[in-house]
Amino acid sequence: LVNGGTEPACMSTSMDINVVARYASSRSPLLFRIMVESPMDMGARIDWLSAFPQEVEVLYPPLTYLNPLHQQAIRGVPGGRVISVRPSFPS
């Protein structure tokens, strides 16, 4: 993930770490920590129209580019990694 990448579809994320942990339950989870510099970099919160509002879902538009900033191991999870990324939207 040196050069980053783009999701061709809408990208569903959550602001709740417990929700993230449930979806990332694997032997070697890979999590993306989305770092935003301003409210304009934030996706749209859709918990107000979701069937699962407790998931605090944030939706990013198709073709959102994720620029990797750095990565670190998940403490106590062998093989688990967190990659911090900065999103940028298509124009």
Side-chain angles (χ1 to χ4, degrees):
L1 198 69
V2 174
N3 298 319
T6 300
E7 172 60 48
C10 289
M11 184 173 59
S12 175
T13 65
S14 177
M15 296 175 69
D16 184 335
I17 191 65
N18 296 314
V19 172
V20 173
R22 277 199 317 262
Y23 280 101
S25 59
S26 71
R27 289 187 188 190
S28 28
L30 173 63
L31 304 178
F32 292 102
R33 177 184 295 139
I34 299 175
M35 311 292 284
V36 295
E37 291 182 340
S38 81
M40 297 303 292
D41 295 333
M42 188 73 177
R45 280 189 65 164
I46 62 167
D47 48 313
W48 60 275
L49 59 79
S50 175
F52 306 99
Q54 69 278 6
E55 291 189 352
V56 195
E57 187 174 1
V58 176
L59 200 60
Y60 283 84
L63 301 177
T64 296
Y65 175 74
L66 298 178
N67 182 31
L69 303 173
H70 62 274
Q71 65 176 303
Q72 63 192 70
I74 299 174
R75 189 176 25 214
V77 181
R81 292 186 303 156
V82 176
I83 299 177
S84 296
V85 297
R86 180 165 294 122
S88 62
F89 306 129
S91 54

